[in-house]
Amino acid sequence: QFSRLIADKTLLVGMTSTVFRDAEYTSHEVTIDDAQMAWFEETLKTHPASEGWQVFVFTHAPPNGSGLRVLQENHVVNGCCWLNHSN
């Protein structure tokens, strides 16, 4: 995981899977362990929206349990990767 202050009270947060390609049916899930979730919760507590903080969170794919199962458009296009979750 990482966090970067990119502007006044604007934080980027990146979270990564702690289980890779162990899922029985798909490898496009992000599973976040308890330690990373605790770090994330602490990051949010120390950067509260009530004090004007904006926190943007990025993951490789939707976290398990998020309810986000399908993205309607291509969301990653670069030299080594083209993911399309519209099917």
Side-chain angles (χ1 to χ4, degrees), residues 17-29 31:
S17 186
T18 54
V19 176
F20 184 68
R21 298 188 190 267
D22 287 342
E24 185 175 350
Y25 299 107
T26 182
S27 62
H28 298 295
E29 297 170 337
T31 302

Side-chain angles (χ1 to χ4, degrees), residues 18 44 57 65:
T18 54
L44 293 179
V57 181

Side-chain angles (χ1 to χ4, degrees), residues 17-83:
S17 186
T18 54
V19 176
F20 184 68
R21 298 188 190 267
D22 287 342
E24 185 175 350
Y25 299 107
T26 182
S27 62
H28 298 295
E29 297 170 337
V30 174
T31 302
I32 299 168
D33 65 14
D34 291 341
Q36 189 170 187
M37 186 56 71
W39 169 84
F40 178 63
E41 289 172 350
E42 184 61 27
T43 298
L44 293 179
K45 286 179 189 173
T46 58
H47 301 87
S50 63
E51 293 179 10
W53 281 94
Q54 298 181 83
V55 178
F56 297 87
V57 181
F58 298 88
T59 65
H60 170 72
N64 287 338
S66 69
L68 182 58
R69 304 295 288 164
V70 176
L71 299 176
Q72 298 303 318
E73 300 292 333
N74 292 323
H75 68 285
V76 175
V77 180
N78 67 33
C80 66
C81 184
W82 183 286
L83 297 179

